[in-house]
């Protein structure tokens, strides 16, 4: 069965939001707060699992510092990984 074109575009939006958020070093919580949406809603957007209205699309684009059209470009969703992400903080050298 062929996927609906709208579902494909929702995946593009999700992949672009995820890519830009990670590039900016933002957590999902920080981006959701900046876009005035819930973290759970942002998680569904990033997975391409929920419809995104124009208002939310513009809020996300503004929070990410891009034009709304950038979020509609072709992109591939990243592979899903389970569990907590690894810490990106630099490890402290052992104390002497």
């Amino acid at each position: 069965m062929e996927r609906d074109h709208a579902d494909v575009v929702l995946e593009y939006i999700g992949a672009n939001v995820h890519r830009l958020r990670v590039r900016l070093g933002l957590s999902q919580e920080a981006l959701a707060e900046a876009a005035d949406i819930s973290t759970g809603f942002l998680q569904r957007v990033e997975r391409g699992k929920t419809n995104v209205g124009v208002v939310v699309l513009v809020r996300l684009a503004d929070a990410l510092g891009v034009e709304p059209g950038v979020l509609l470009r072709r992109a591939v969703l990243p592979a899903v990984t389970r569990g907590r992400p690894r810490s990106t903080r630099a490890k402290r050298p052992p104390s002497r």
Side-chain angles (χ1 to χ4, degrees), residues 52-89:
V52 180
V54 174
V55 172
V56 171
L57 189 74
V58 171
R59 285 180 184 172
L60 285 168
D62 288 348
L64 293 165
V66 297
E67 290 296 318
V70 170
L71 301 181
L72 297 171
R73 293 181 182 161
R74 286 181 189 254
V76 177
L77 282 169
V80 175
T81 55
R82 300 287 179 210
R84 285 192 165 278
R86 293 178 182 236
S87 175
T88 56
R89 294 188 331 207

Side-chain angles (χ1 to χ4, degrees), residues 27-45:
S27 66
Q28 287 180 327
E29 293 80 9
L31 178 56
E33 185 175 324
D36 196 27
I37 61 175
S38 74
T39 303
F41 186 75
L42 175 61
Q43 290 168 343
R44 290 188 303 278
V45 168

